[in-house]
Amino acid sequence: MKMNLVINGNSMELGDEVSSVTTLLEHLGLAGKPVIIEHNRDILKQEHHRQRMLENGDTLEIVHFVGGG
């Protein structure tokens, strides 16, 4: 079953392997990186990523940090 999410203003269709914020971060290649997640206007603490389940139509803003010099 496909799920539609809006991530950083872009619509994405994902498979059922993405069920939580943690699995979404793994899918996007951001697992283990410092990120800030806003899920349906609720800013999540990192310890809540695993238990926050995603549903069709959810909106997320993901801010991740990029180093450089």
Side-chain angles (χ1 to χ4, degrees):
M1 185 169 139
K2 298 288 183 183
M3 177 172 26
N4 290 302
L5 301 174
V6 177
I7 301 173
N8 294 347
N10 298 308
S11 182
M12 292 184 74
E13 185 176 84
L14 301 167
D16 58 2
E17 72 279 359
V18 176
S19 59
S20 68
V21 170
T22 296
T23 57
L24 174 64
L25 292 174
E26 290 168 355
H27 178 80
L28 297 174
L30 296 172
K33 296 183 180 177
V35 295
I36 298 174
I37 306 285
E38 180 184 273
H39 177 234
N40 296 332
R41 298 188 169 218
D42 182 24
I43 296 178
L44 299 179
K45 292 184 178 184
Q46 186 174 2
E47 59 265 21
H48 297 144
H49 289 181
R50 186 168 304 284
Q51 61 223 73
R52 181 63 66 105
M53 303 310 288
L54 300 173
E55 296 182 13
N56 192 44
D58 281 356
T59 300
L60 296 105
E61 293 293 325
I62 302 173
V63 177
H64 60 97
F65 302 95
V66 178

